[in-house]
Amino acid sequence: MHIKNHRLTNAAFLPAHFTGEEITPELVILHDTAGRLDKGNSATYLASENVAKASVHFVIEIDGTITQSVATNRKANHAGKSSFQGRDWCNGFSIGIELVNPGRMTKAGKYGVTWFGKQFDFSLFNLVEMTTDAHGAGVWMPYAEAQMGALISLLDALFRDIKTLKDITTHWYVSPGRKVDTNPLFPLDDVRARILGPDDPADAIADEASKPNTNDMVEIDTRGGALNMRRWPSFENNILTAIPDGTVVPVLRTGAFAGRDWHCVFYDGTEGWIVASYAAPTIISTH
């Protein structure tokens, strides 16, 4: 499996109706189709003059079949209003991959019921009832082994053959509160580690844009509340934990991101980022 002339070899190409200008892809965003599971249904919909004006680069069926709909150097309408590490409107720098999956369902007895009224038996489809902060409550269908295998093979090809690609994320991550795909059963951390290796690109970006600051301590100052400590310096859905008001923590790094000052601190055995305006100096540096 390779990318040649912006097309995936050995895969069908069914052009999406809505395709935009040239882009330089730096990010892969993973989605659920949140529609019918019939093979070819989603790719055919994207090829039509659909009301949503949606398009995506690749669709992966439950059996692992991959259909490409947009060349990898062209813009597709898959992410909508979105932001990743301070950059808005991700369609302009990302490749979208849709996994055929019914999306969030509601529980009705022994069934999960989709938004379009299709019922799936809990036991036959191994459905899981689960609630998360990012997804809310719902009933979810696991991803098929063949589908996940095809996704890994596709990602391997994309990151090997498109040198500008840097990271992998999901629709719910770039559009928090607006989208819930991929569903909470999707093993994002495992997929990212498999493709990107143990080093997180977002960590490297944050390190490059900040400076060491290992002599200072700060006190969390939220006037009685708690301050979110985040995986990296942004307000995306990346909260690690909350640090109670009045807690004193050591500062490891300091930097400015999207016009706001942030500290990387150490708390409860973990490194993470906090907004500097809610952290008051408490111990004067001795250097």
Side-chain angles (χ1 to χ4, degrees):
M1 191 179 291
H2 295 274
I3 303 295
K4 292 185 177 180
N5 298 320
H6 317 295
R7 299 268 191 100
L8 179 67
T9 59
N10 302 321
F13 188 87
L14 181 60
H17 185 83
F18 297 99
T19 300
E21 68 270 15
E22 285 195 18
I23 65 169
T24 299
E26 299 179 26
L27 176 68
V28 170
I29 299 177
L30 303 174
H31 303 260
D32 292 339
T33 55
R36 302 183 187 281
L37 306 189
D38 307 278
K39 189 171 181 178
N41 178 75
S42 293
T44 301
Y45 172 78
L46 295 171
S48 70
E49 193 172 355
N50 60 84
V51 175
K53 297 184 178 181
S55 56
V56 74
H57 295 85
F58 299 95
V59 176
I60 304 180
E61 306 284 352
I62 290 177
D63 68 359
T65 301
I66 301 174
T67 300
Q68 185 171 359
S69 297
V70 177
T72 58
N73 70 331
R74 307 291 295 192
K75 181 180 177 181
N77 299 335
H78 61 97
K81 186 177 181 181
S82 53
S83 178
F84 184 76
Q85 295 178 6
R87 296 178 66 183
D88 293 333
W89 300 105
C90 296
N91 287 344
F93 58 94
S94 66
I95 289 172
I97 300 175
E98 293 267 11
L99 297 164
V100 173
N101 187 281
R104 174 159 51 194
M105 295 177 278
T106 56
K107 188 175 182 180
K110 66 175 185 176
Y111 297 103
V113 183
T114 68
W115 65 269
F116 50 89
K118 176 70 174 180
Q119 293 184 336
F120 292 98
D121 188 285
F122 259 80
S123 59
L124 291 179
F125 291 90
N126 298 313
L127 304 185
V128 177
E129 190 173 11
M130 180 184 295
T131 301
T132 74
D133 290 340
H135 298 83
V139 173
W140 315 94
M141 182 181 291
Y143 299 87
E145 183 176 347
Q147 190 176 48
M148 291 301 300
L151 173 63
I152 293 299
S153 296
L154 174 56
L155 290 172
D156 276 334
L158 290 171
F159 279 81
R160 181 188 62 238
D161 297 336
I162 302 177
K163 304 306 181 183
T164 55
L165 283 176
K166 301 175 182 178
D167 211 341
I168 305 165
T169 191
T170 57
H171 201 184
W172 66 260
Y173 186 87
V174 299
S175 300
R178 190 174 71 85
K179 294 294 181 178
V180 298
D181 57 320
T182 54
N183 81 43
L185 304 180
F186 184 81
L188 178 61
D189 289 342
D190 291 343
V191 169
R192 294 182 78 253
R194 173 81 176 266
I195 302 302
L196 304 174
D199 296 326
D200 193 325
D203 289 341
I205 292 171
D207 285 349
E208 289 174 5
S210 61
K211 295 181 180 180
N213 181 1
T214 57
N215 294 304
D216 294 331
M217 304 284 286
V218 294
E219 181 178 350
I220 303 305
D221 183 10
T222 58
R223 292 175 172 82
L227 181 63
N228 288 329
M229 183 171 77
R230 299 175 179 273
R231 188 177 179 185
W232 44 69
S234 79
F235 292 105
E236 295 169 6
N237 199 341
N238 61 356
I239 297 172
L240 293 171
T241 188
I243 307 177
D245 185 35
T247 303
V248 176
V249 292
V251 178
L252 306 180
R253 303 186 70 85
T254 298
F257 300 86
R260 190 185 296 267
D261 291 331
W262 293 74
H263 293 316
C264 179
V265 301
F266 187 81
Y267 172 72
D268 197 25
T270 303
E271 295 181 15
W273 293 85
I274 61 172
V275 178
S277 59
Y278 292 99
T282 184
I283 298 179
I284 303 301
S285 173
T286 57
H287 65 285

